[in-house]
Amino acid sequence: MGQGQSGEQGARNVTTEQLSHELAQRFAQKCFTPLELTHFKDVFRFLADEQDGIHYWKEETLCRFLVVPDVLGPGPVIYQMATYLGAFPFPSLAPCILTIEAMVVVVVIMTERYGKVLKKGKADRNKLLFRSLAVFDRRVGSVQGLDTKVLEEATKEEMSKTEDTTDVSHSHVTGFSVDIPGDEEEDDDDDGLALAALDSLDAIEVFKHDQRADRKIINSQIPIDNFRRLLMLLLVIAPLQSQDNLSKFGESLTETRLEGLRRVADSILWSFTPEENAGISYHSFNTIIPASLPYLFDALNPLFEHFLFSKNIDLSRRKSSTSTSTPTLSPPQPIPEPPMESLLHSEGEILDINLLSQLSFFLKGTSLFHRLRLLYSGGTAGFSLGSFEQKVLNWKAPSILLVSGTRLPTLPHDSRQRAFADTLPPKRFPDSSPGNSKTNRVIYGAYIPLPWKQTPKHPVSDPATLLFQLEPLHEVFPASTFILNHTTLTKAGIAFGNPVPPSKPVSGLPSHVSLGSVSLTLNDSLEYGVFTHDSAGGGSFRNSKARKGSWQDRFEIDSLEVWGCGGDAEAERQRKAWVWEEREAAARKGVTLGKDLEADRALLAMAGLLASEGYGASGGSMG
């Protein structure tokens, strides 16, 4: 009892506004270097509006500085996120005015620099991002059109009251609808990052009091339309670096590109909402982001790091002997920008810039952008295992296989489809969800971290192998560490998740292909494929996190591609391997024969350099 009373007496009797000010000061001092802070202050003050002595940023200012493409329409969503995050760690103060202190907090959270002050990680940041995007489910809808009516009005209302010092128990700021208290049963929803922030300020009791006005996450959703706009923006800026020219990423937004962006965004959206509804719940968000989209929000880091590079500060000028440590300010000078380097050496039949960005949401962009090389394309090299092996076997680095196709009807329509169906066990599962697609097109793929090789007896196993679906739904299936049938390349075809097929038929056993519980199989002619998801589990890849039940997609292959993840060094290594093989083949063809031709031919046949059948036939015709 005595300890509890002393703890209550020791709690700081301060307002949330004072604590927010103190946290912003601590962020500024510990999360930015002195030079970065100088750049940040210059950027903010150069573009800030002023009213009643308060400098702040409007939605238009924020979107103009970040060069948010108007055609995508994410401006109100980004502004909503900023006015929520700027109130951290007190959600009841949102939406806040984007003052310099609020923008410090926004930039620190968006760039994940809070680790120098707080001891929390990406999971808590994702939770905070969900809060910034969500609205109370009774009013789920688009924020479009509400930004100027609700957010700006709330901002003006607060600006008229900023001189008042209000105690925490009488907070006057109207929060987002996600923060409005209700009668629903609430779950345990302590915000890890917020608790860490208040713990660093010795103000946990103040935070818990403020949490009474916080609408719990379980009662909120992200409007689908808002999230679609944000997804399209994240797809466009996925390859962004902190000093890249933002405007260049909006220059390529042709109508064709926009159509592709919408298709990819819809595939991702349907992974959150298997059935059409108005919003994305926190449970769905918190389940799918870590499993299938771990790098979804990574592009926000370099986007908001642009606040730390002011075009008005010229560090190239030499300081005079009387100059202070403050960098010289000069009017911004237009600098010709070099053309943007192509993200892909060449687009394929399946992989384009939009799908490349989609891949970067679960594969690190540093291994994708500017580094993918087309090793094999069925459309140019031919749909055969021979041409496939010739193109991929000498690539000594990770690779990505992509296959697109059209779902087959339940009953085969021709002899080829019947022949393929006869190689498989009877179909027990329905097709997968069509999502928002009006066609039967599917795109599946695999990330193979080890070099390809023929696997007549043992599969290639690596726990970093991934199976994934890109269209019409987005989902990733990580490898299991218990059953290691990850990749097989045999005369029977290409498979991920299947056991190695026997080299010869076993008497008494069916000749059907043995399909893993979660597997992708391409037949020996590379004409057909099948993806299987058996909810019973127990396979080489883990089951779906988003979809319940079992399904199986049998499809006719339209396109098949393999992309190598590597640069010039890997390509040169592959070229040298091809040259060596050509020399070996030429050497074998140029073997000098002795006088006894029959003996030489027998020797070549024994060495496997000459077919024994051919030798016997031709030998019988010689005189």
Side-chain angles (χ1 to χ4, degrees), residues 11-34:
R12 300 176 59 184
N13 187 22
V14 291
T15 65
T16 55
E17 288 83 356
Q18 290 171 323
L19 288 172
S20 296
H21 169 77
E22 186 174 339
L23 181 63
Q25 292 294 326
R26 190 166 299 188
F27 275 164
Q29 293 170 4
K30 294 189 176 183
C31 299
F32 299 142
T33 66

PDB file of all heavy atoms in Angstrom, residues 11-34:
ATOM      1  N   ALA A  11       3.735  10.573  -9.331  1.00  0.00           N
ATOM      2  CA  ALA A  11       3.328  10.786 -10.719  1.00  0.00           C
ATOM      3  C   ALA A  11       3.370  12.270 -11.051  1.00  0.00           C
ATOM      4  O   ALA A  11       3.023  13.122 -10.248  1.00  0.00           O
ATOM      5  CB  ALA A  11       1.914  10.240 -10.938  1.00  0.00           C
ATOM      6  N   ARG A  12       3.782  12.565 -12.239  1.00  0.00           N
ATOM      7  CA  ARG A  12       3.949  13.972 -12.628  1.00  0.00           C
ATOM      8  C   ARG A  12       2.594  14.611 -12.879  1.00  0.00           C
ATOM      9  O   ARG A  12       1.784  14.109 -13.644  1.00  0.00           O
ATOM     10  CB  ARG A  12       4.821  14.051 -13.874  1.00  0.00           C
ATOM     11  CG  ARG A  12       6.209  13.460 -13.666  1.00  0.00           C
ATOM     12  CD  ARG A  12       7.007  13.472 -14.954  1.00  0.00           C
ATOM     13  NE  ARG A  12       7.152  14.835 -15.448  1.00  0.00           N
ATOM     14  CZ  ARG A  12       7.744  15.129 -16.617  1.00  0.00           C
ATOM     15  NH1 ARG A  12       8.195  14.165 -17.386  1.00  0.00           N
ATOM     16  NH2 ARG A  12       7.868  16.375 -17.013  1.00  0.00           N
ATOM     17  N   ASN A  13       2.363  15.747 -12.251  1.00  0.00           N
ATOM     18  CA  ASN A  13       1.112  16.483 -12.400  1.00  0.00           C
ATOM     19  C   ASN A  13       1.270  17.477 -13.544  1.00  0.00           C
ATOM     20  O   ASN A  13       1.457  18.676 -13.343  1.00  0.00           O
ATOM     21  CB  ASN A  13       0.766  17.194 -11.094  1.00  0.00           C
ATOM     22  CG  ASN A  13      -0.620  17.835 -11.157  1.00  0.00           C
ATOM     23  OD1 ASN A  13      -1.449  17.425 -11.976  1.00  0.00           O
ATOM     24  ND2 ASN A  13      -0.841  18.831 -10.321  1.00  0.00           N
ATOM     25  N   VAL A  14       1.261  16.943 -14.770  1.00  0.00           N
ATOM     26  CA  VAL A  14       1.464  17.783 -15.947  1.00  0.00           C
ATOM     27  C   VAL A  14       0.358  17.473 -16.953  1.00  0.00           C
ATOM     28  O   VAL A  14      -0.348  16.470 -16.856  1.00  0.00           O
ATOM     29  CB  VAL A  14       2.839  17.526 -16.586  1.00  0.00           C
ATOM     30  CG1 VAL A  14       3.963  18.034 -15.697  1.00  0.00           C
ATOM     31  CG2 VAL A  14       3.017  16.050 -16.897  1.00  0.00           C
ATOM     32  N   THR A  15       0.235  18.333 -17.944  1.00  0.00           N
ATOM     33  CA  THR A  15      -0.787  18.152 -18.972  1.00  0.00           C
ATOM     34  C   THR A  15      -0.223  17.329 -20.123  1.00  0.00           C
ATOM     35  O   THR A  15       0.986  17.170 -20.288  1.00  0.00           O
ATOM     36  CB  THR A  15      -1.263  19.500 -19.519  1.00  0.00           C
ATOM     37  OG1 THR A  15      -0.170  20.123 -20.195  1.00  0.00           O
ATOM     38  CG2 THR A  15      -1.750  20.390 -18.394  1.00  0.00           C
ATOM     39  N   THR A  16      -1.119  16.783 -20.926  1.00  0.00           N
ATOM     40  CA  THR A  16      -0.683  16.037 -22.099  1.00  0.00           C
ATOM     41  C   THR A  16       0.079  16.929 -23.071  1.00  0.00           C
ATOM     42  O   THR A  16       1.010  16.478 -23.743  1.00  0.00           O
ATOM     43  CB  THR A  16      -1.904  15.438 -22.813  1.00  0.00           C
ATOM     44  OG1 THR A  16      -2.835  16.488 -23.110  1.00  0.00           O
ATOM     45  CG2 THR A  16      -2.572  14.388 -21.956  1.00  0.00           C
ATOM     46  N   GLU A  17      -0.315  18.207 -23.172  1.00  0.00           N
ATOM     47  CA  GLU A  17       0.378  19.133 -24.064  1.00  0.00           C
ATOM     48  C   GLU A  17       1.823  19.328 -23.639  1.00  0.00           C
ATOM     49  O   GLU A  17       2.738  19.365 -24.474  1.00  0.00           O
ATOM     50  CB  GLU A  17      -0.353  20.481 -24.108  1.00  0.00           C
ATOM     51  CG  GLU A  17      -1.673  20.470 -24.859  1.00  0.00           C
ATOM     52  CD  GLU A  17      -2.826  19.970 -23.988  1.00  0.00           C
ATOM     53  OE1 GLU A  17      -2.573  19.567 -22.819  1.00  0.00           O
ATOM     54  OE2 GLU A  17      -3.969  19.962 -24.473  1.00  0.00           O
ATOM     55  N   GLN A  18       2.054  19.417 -22.326  1.00  0.00           N
ATOM     56  CA  GLN A  18       3.418  19.586 -21.839  1.00  0.00           C
ATOM     57  C   GLN A  18       4.260  18.342 -22.100  1.00  0.00           C
ATOM     58  O   GLN A  18       5.433  18.439 -22.479  1.00  0.00           O
ATOM     59  CB  GLN A  18       3.391  19.908 -20.338  1.00  0.00           C
ATOM     60  CG  GLN A  18       2.834  21.301 -20.017  1.00  0.00           C
ATOM     61  CD  GLN A  18       2.621  21.494 -18.520  1.00  0.00           C
ATOM     62  OE1 GLN A  18       2.227  20.567 -17.812  1.00  0.00           O
ATOM     63  NE2 GLN A  18       2.871  22.707 -18.048  1.00  0.00           N
ATOM     64  N   LEU A  19       3.652  17.175 -21.916  1.00  0.00           N
ATOM     65  CA  LEU A  19       4.382  15.933 -22.172  1.00  0.00           C
ATOM     66  C   LEU A  19       4.675  15.758 -23.661  1.00  0.00           C
ATOM     67  O   LEU A  19       5.747  15.281 -24.038  1.00  0.00           O
ATOM     68  CB  LEU A  19       3.577  14.750 -21.652  1.00  0.00           C
ATOM     69  CG  LEU A  19       3.514  14.619 -20.121  1.00  0.00           C
ATOM     70  CD1 LEU A  19       2.532  13.530 -19.729  1.00  0.00           C
ATOM     71  CD2 LEU A  19       4.892  14.330 -19.558  1.00  0.00           C
ATOM     72  N   SER A  20       3.733  16.147 -24.501  1.00  0.00           N
ATOM     73  CA  SER A  20       3.962  16.072 -25.947  1.00  0.00           C
ATOM     74  C   SER A  20       5.124  16.974 -26.346  1.00  0.00           C
ATOM     75  O   SER A  20       5.966  16.599 -27.171  1.00  0.00           O
ATOM     76  CB  SER A  20       2.695  16.477 -26.709  1.00  0.00           C
ATOM     77  OG  SER A  20       1.646  15.575 -26.466  1.00  0.00           O
ATOM     78  N   HIS A  21       5.177  18.163 -25.757  1.00  0.00           N
ATOM     79  CA  HIS A  21       6.277  19.088 -26.025  1.00  0.00           C
ATOM     80  C   HIS A  21       7.610  18.476 -25.585  1.00  0.00           C
ATOM     81  O   HIS A  21       8.606  18.523 -26.325  1.00  0.00           O
ATOM     82  CB  HIS A  21       6.032  20.410 -25.293  1.00  0.00           C
ATOM     83  CG  HIS A  21       7.218  21.330 -25.293  1.00  0.00           C
ATOM     84  ND1 HIS A  21       7.574  22.070 -26.394  1.00  0.00           N
ATOM     85  CD2 HIS A  21       8.130  21.615 -24.321  1.00  0.00           C
ATOM     86  CE1 HIS A  21       8.657  22.770 -26.119  1.00  0.00           C
ATOM     87  NE2 HIS A  21       9.017  22.524 -24.860  1.00  0.00           N
ATOM     88  N   GLU A  22       7.626  17.860 -24.415  1.00  0.00           N
ATOM     89  CA  GLU A  22       8.867  17.276 -23.904  1.00  0.00           C
ATOM     90  C   GLU A  22       9.321  16.112 -24.766  1.00  0.00           C
ATOM     91  O   GLU A  22      10.520  15.950 -25.034  1.00  0.00           O
ATOM     92  CB  GLU A  22       8.666  16.829 -22.454  1.00  0.00           C
ATOM     93  CG  GLU A  22       9.940  16.347 -21.787  1.00  0.00           C
ATOM     94  CD  GLU A  22       9.741  16.036 -20.312  1.00  0.00           C
ATOM     95  OE1 GLU A  22       8.763  16.556 -19.725  1.00  0.00           O
ATOM     96  OE2 GLU A  22      10.555  15.282 -19.759  1.00  0.00           O
ATOM     97  N   LEU A  23       8.377  15.262 -25.227  1.00  0.00           N
ATOM     98  CA  LEU A  23       8.735  14.133 -26.077  1.00  0.00           C
ATOM     99  C   LEU A  23       9.281  14.609 -27.414  1.00  0.00           C
ATOM    100  O   LEU A  23      10.271  14.058 -27.926  1.00  0.00           O
ATOM    101  CB  LEU A  23       7.523  13.233 -26.297  1.00  0.00           C
ATOM    102  CG  LEU A  23       7.773  11.990 -27.160  1.00  0.00           C
ATOM    103  CD1 LEU A  23       8.778  11.055 -26.493  1.00  0.00           C
ATOM    104  CD2 LEU A  23       6.464  11.248 -27.448  1.00  0.00           C
ATOM    105  N   ALA A  24       8.657  15.648 -27.993  1.00  0.00           N
ATOM    106  CA  ALA A  24       9.142  16.189 -29.265  1.00  0.00           C
ATOM    107  C   ALA A  24      10.566  16.718 -29.119  1.00  0.00           C
ATOM    108  O   ALA A  24      11.416  16.534 -30.004  1.00  0.00           O
ATOM    109  CB  ALA A  24       8.206  17.287 -29.768  1.00  0.00           C
ATOM    110  N   GLN A  25      10.854  17.388 -27.998  1.00  0.00           N
ATOM    111  CA  GLN A  25      12.202  17.894 -27.761  1.00  0.00           C
ATOM    112  C   GLN A  25      13.201  16.742 -27.662  1.00  0.00           C
ATOM    113  O   GLN A  25      14.313  16.813 -28.201  1.00  0.00           O
ATOM    114  CB  GLN A  25      12.227  18.727 -26.471  1.00  0.00           C
ATOM    115  CG  GLN A  25      11.450  20.035 -26.547  1.00  0.00           C
ATOM    116  CD  GLN A  25      12.083  21.017 -27.527  1.00  0.00           C
ATOM    117  OE1 GLN A  25      13.295  21.074 -27.678  1.00  0.00           O
ATOM    118  NE2 GLN A  25      11.244  21.782 -28.208  1.00  0.00           N
ATOM    119  N   ARG A  26      12.800  15.673 -26.987  1.00  0.00           N
ATOM    120  CA  ARG A  26      13.701  14.535 -26.830  1.00  0.00           C
ATOM    121  C   ARG A  26      13.928  13.841 -28.168  1.00  0.00           C
ATOM    122  O   ARG A  26      15.053  13.428 -28.489  1.00  0.00           O
ATOM    123  CB  ARG A  26      13.131  13.561 -25.809  1.00  0.00           C
ATOM    124  CG  ARG A  26      14.098  12.468 -25.395  1.00  0.00           C
ATOM    125  CD  ARG A  26      13.633  11.741 -24.153  1.00  0.00           C
ATOM    126  NE  ARG A  26      13.527  12.630 -22.998  1.00  0.00           N
ATOM    127  CZ  ARG A  26      13.286  12.212 -21.762  1.00  0.00           C
ATOM    128  NH1 ARG A  26      13.134  10.916 -21.526  1.00  0.00           N
ATOM    129  NH2 ARG A  26      13.194  13.068 -20.768  1.00  0.00           N
ATOM    130  N   PHE A  27      12.880  13.695 -28.967  1.00  0.00           N
ATOM    131  CA  PHE A  27      13.027  13.128 -30.308  1.00  0.00           C
ATOM    132  C   PHE A  27      13.996  13.963 -31.143  1.00  0.00           C
ATOM    133  O   PHE A  27      14.875  13.435 -31.829  1.00  0.00           O
ATOM    134  CB  PHE A  27      11.670  13.055 -31.006  1.00  0.00           C
ATOM    135  CG  PHE A  27      10.872  11.816 -30.685  1.00  0.00           C
ATOM    136  CD1 PHE A  27       9.520  11.763 -30.977  1.00  0.00           C
ATOM    137  CD2 PHE A  27      11.462  10.711 -30.101  1.00  0.00           C
ATOM    138  CE1 PHE A  27       8.772  10.623 -30.703  1.00  0.00           C
ATOM    139  CE2 PHE A  27      10.724   9.573 -29.808  1.00  0.00           C
ATOM    140  CZ  PHE A  27       9.380   9.523 -30.116  1.00  0.00           C
ATOM    141  N   ALA A  28      13.810  15.280 -31.129  1.00  0.00           N
ATOM    142  CA  ALA A  28      14.640  16.166 -31.946  1.00  0.00           C
ATOM    143  C   ALA A  28      16.112  16.068 -31.558  1.00  0.00           C
ATOM    144  O   ALA A  28      17.005  16.075 -32.419  1.00  0.00           O
ATOM    145  CB  ALA A  28      14.150  17.606 -31.827  1.00  0.00           C
ATOM    146  N   GLN A  29      16.386  15.968 -30.273  1.00  0.00           N
ATOM    147  CA  GLN A  29      17.769  15.961 -29.805  1.00  0.00           C
ATOM    148  C   GLN A  29      18.459  14.615 -30.038  1.00  0.00           C
ATOM    149  O   GLN A  29      19.652  14.574 -30.344  1.00  0.00           O
ATOM    150  CB  GLN A  29      17.803  16.296 -28.313  1.00  0.00           C
ATOM    151  CG  GLN A  29      17.380  17.724 -27.996  1.00  0.00           C
ATOM    152  CD  GLN A  29      17.178  17.967 -26.505  1.00  0.00           C
ATOM    153  OE1 GLN A  29      17.420  17.072 -25.690  1.00  0.00           O
ATOM    154  NE2 GLN A  29      16.719  19.159 -26.153  1.00  0.00           N
ATOM    155  N   LYS A  30      17.706  13.509 -29.900  1.00  0.00           N
ATOM    156  CA  LYS A  30      18.343  12.202 -29.929  1.00  0.00           C
ATOM    157  C   LYS A  30      18.164  11.440 -31.241  1.00  0.00           C
ATOM    158  O   LYS A  30      18.910  10.491 -31.509  1.00  0.00           O
ATOM    159  CB  LYS A  30      17.822  11.334 -28.773  1.00  0.00           C
ATOM    160  CG  LYS A  30      18.214  11.864 -27.399  1.00  0.00           C
ATOM    161  CD  LYS A  30      17.869  10.868 -26.302  1.00  0.00           C
ATOM    162  CE  LYS A  30      18.360  11.360 -24.942  1.00  0.00           C
ATOM    163  NZ  LYS A  30      18.106  10.365 -23.861  1.00  0.00           N
ATOM    164  N   CYS A  31      17.189  11.827 -32.044  1.00  0.00           N
ATOM    165  CA  CYS A  31      16.900  11.070 -33.266  1.00  0.00           C
ATOM    166  C   CYS A  31      17.411  11.759 -34.526  1.00  0.00           C
ATOM    167  O   CYS A  31      17.392  11.159 -35.605  1.00  0.00           O
ATOM    168  CB  CYS A  31      15.396  10.821 -33.395  1.00  0.00           C
ATOM    169  SG  CYS A  31      14.703   9.871 -32.031  1.00  0.00           S
ATOM    170  N   PHE A  32      17.829  13.012 -34.423  1.00  0.00           N
ATOM    171  CA  PHE A  32      18.396  13.735 -35.552  1.00  0.00           C
ATOM    172  C   PHE A  32      19.810  14.188 -35.205  1.00  0.00           C
ATOM    173  O   PHE A  32      20.096  14.502 -34.051  1.00  0.00           O
ATOM    174  CB  PHE A  32      17.564  14.971 -35.911  1.00  0.00           C
ATOM    175  CG  PHE A  32      16.142  14.681 -36.322  1.00  0.00           C
ATOM    176  CD1 PHE A  32      15.109  15.526 -35.934  1.00  0.00           C
ATOM    177  CD2 PHE A  32      15.835  13.573 -37.093  1.00  0.00           C
ATOM    178  CE1 PHE A  32      13.797  15.281 -36.304  1.00  0.00           C
ATOM    179  CE2 PHE A  32      14.523  13.308 -37.457  1.00  0.00           C
ATOM    180  CZ  PHE A  32      13.506  14.166 -37.067  1.00  0.00           C
ATOM    181  N   THR A  33      20.658  14.226 -36.205  1.00  0.00           N
ATOM    182  CA  THR A  33      21.954  14.858 -36.018  1.00  0.00           C
ATOM    183  C   THR A  33      21.753  16.374 -36.052  1.00  0.00           C
ATOM    184  O   THR A  33      20.718  16.861 -36.554  1.00  0.00           O
ATOM    185  CB  THR A  33      22.930  14.446 -37.117  1.00  0.00           C
ATOM    186  OG1 THR A  33      22.462  14.965 -38.377  1.00  0.00           O
ATOM    187  CG2 THR A  33      23.048  12.930 -37.206  1.00  0.00           C
ATOM    188  N   PRO A  34      22.698  17.169 -35.548  1.00  0.00           N
ATOM    189  CA  PRO A  34      22.550  18.634 -35.620  1.00  0.00           C
ATOM    190  C   PRO A  34      22.331  19.134 -37.047  1.00  0.00           C
ATOM    191  O   PRO A  34      21.525  20.048 -37.275  1.00  0.00           O
ATOM    192  CB  PRO A  34      23.864  19.143 -35.036  1.00  0.00           C
ATOM    193  CG  PRO A  34      24.301  18.061 -34.101  1.00  0.00           C
ATOM    194  CD  PRO A  34      23.876  16.775 -34.747  1.00  0.00           C
TER     195      PRO A  34
END
